[in-house]
Amino acid sequence: MRLVTWNINSIRLRFDLLRQVAMVMAPDVICLQEIKVDDPLFPLADCQALGYPHVAFHGMKGYNGVAVLSKRPIEVAEPLSRCGRDDRRHLMVRLEGGVQVHCLYIPAGGDIPDPEANDKFAHKLDFLRELAVWAAGAFTPGDRAILAGDFNVAPLESDVWSHKQMLKVISHTPIEVELLNDFQASAGLVDAVRHFVPASERLYTWWSYRSNDWQRNDRGRRLDHVWVTPALVPGLRSALVAREARSWTQPSDHVPVMVDLDL
DNA sequence: ATGGTAGCGTTGCTA
């Protein structure tokens, strides 16, 4: 099974790039974040025409929103709300055979890395804490689940262009990294990409739109992740970050992340 | 130390 996760930053504006991902990478399952479209306007028929007859979406007007496209039937699609808000950041689908796919869009958290001064950062930290509690009770040993999406945290030193310069920049502050690690550890989840790429090797999935030359400066961060439950680890086959997607015409600031695994 | 771009939907908010 091939899974791709991608923060598409508007599914309507970038539908042609989604078509390219579908045709070139040929994933069985695509997890999308920041679709930025209200459910009544979701391009369902267009997704189905790409070869994904089974689509779950959980969007809202203007912001956020997640979707899962699947070639094979989806047995259950369950939108989840977090921190008492209906902000459309978590969608679970169950595939035939019982494998869960969780599409996640963790809040970015704004600019000021102080939860007292910045409500958006406080929300991000609460969101991470809630995910840790949820994950601790969500899976039993032997459960097969994939958690994929824009987690908005770059946990390793090699996940950012400069660890030292990023310590007070939201996405790489110690408190976020600790909470993300707690979330991961709470269910023994394994980072499917770092399973294949050693921590000594720099790896990014996002480059700011504000850089005037993202390729030369290469000030990226690895914000997009695919995690699996222990039962799926023996089936992991390969992982790939599609860096070239950042050079496409009118790109997203995130690139697709792909994982192949035997279920 | 600062400001830079992008998308949505209106002229601000979020990333």
Side-chain angles (χ1 to χ4, degrees):
Chain A
M1 193 265 249
R2 172 167 289 178
L3 178 138
V4 163
T5 183
W6 187 26
N7 180 322
I8 192 170
N9 188 18
S10 172
I11 189 173
R12 288 176 293 177
L13 190 72
R14 262 177 270 288
F15 200 83
D16 285 343
L17 297 185
L18 178 60
R19 180 176 291 111
Q20 201 157 319
V21 167
M23 291 180 68
V24 173
M25 303 177 88
D28 299 289
V29 173
I30 306 176
C31 295
L32 298 172
Q33 303 84 38
E34 283 207 270
I35 58 175
K36 292 187 174 177
V37 59
D38 206 358
D39 288 343
L41 297 173
F42 185 89
L44 174 60
D46 292 332
C47 290
Q48 291 173 326
L50 287 187
Y52 297 87
H54 312 284
V55 183
F57 49 91
H58 185 40
M60 58 190 286
K61 187 176 175 179
Y63 302 110
N64 307 341
V66 284
V68 181
L69 282 55
S70 176
K71 290 189 175 178
R72 305 279 305 152
I74 289 169
E75 286 184 337
V76 183
E78 184 182 352
L80 296 156
S81 74
R82 301 253 155 251
C83 301
R85 304 189 190 192
D86 183 26
D87 54 2
R88 313 294 174 105
R89 295 174 178 276
H90 189 170
L91 175 62
M92 185 276 277
V93 307
R94 194 185 300 271
L95 306 176
E96 287 177 321
V99 175
Q100 296 176 38
V101 176
H102 291 267
C103 182
L104 271 174
Y105 176 49
I106 294 175
D111 289 328
I112 303 162
D114 173 5
E116 304 284 320
N118 174 4
D119 289 343
K120 290 198 283 287
F121 192 53
H123 177 224
K124 181 180 197 175
L125 300 182
D126 287 342
F127 199 104
L128 287 164
R129 290 186 190 101
E130 186 171 313
L131 284 174
V133 171
W134 162 76
F139 310 112
T140 55
D143 274 1
R144 297 183 298 161
I146 303 167
L147 284 71
D150 177 3
F151 294 4
N152 266 315
V153 180
L156 302 179
E157 294 192 15
S158 53
D159 291 336
V160 293
W161 65 277
S162 168
H163 169 64
K164 194 177 167 187
Q165 287 178 259
M166 288 286 299
L167 280 169
K168 291 182 179 173
V169 176
I170 287 182
S171 72
H172 194 63
T173 65
I175 178 68
E176 293 166 84
V177 170
E178 183 184 345
L179 291 174
L180 188 79
N181 287 338
D182 289 348
F183 165 35
Q184 186 176 2
S186 69
L189 299 163
V190 171
D191 183 330
V193 175
R194 283 295 181 193
H195 186 76
F196 295 103
V197 182
S200 56
E201 194 172 310
R202 290 189 185 280
L203 189 63
Y204 314 136
T205 66
W206 173 91
W207 294 262
S208 173
Y209 283 126
R210 297 175 191 175
S211 172
N212 51 20
D213 188 344
W214 75 273
Q215 293 193 86
R216 186 175 58 79
N217 298 325
D218 200 21
R219 295 189 172 185
R221 309 176 194 171
R222 190 172 72 105
L223 304 179
D224 302 272
H225 302 276
V226 179
W227 292 352
V228 299
T229 51
L232 285 178
V233 173
L236 289 172
R237 290 294 169 261
S238 64
L240 177 85
V241 174
R243 180 183 167 106
E244 71 277 9
R246 190 62 180 76
S247 296
W248 291 346
T249 303
Q250 202 173 26
S252 170
D253 45 354
H254 296 253
V255 300
V257 177
M258 181 176 101
V259 169
D260 283 350
L261 66 169
D262 294 332
L263 295 182

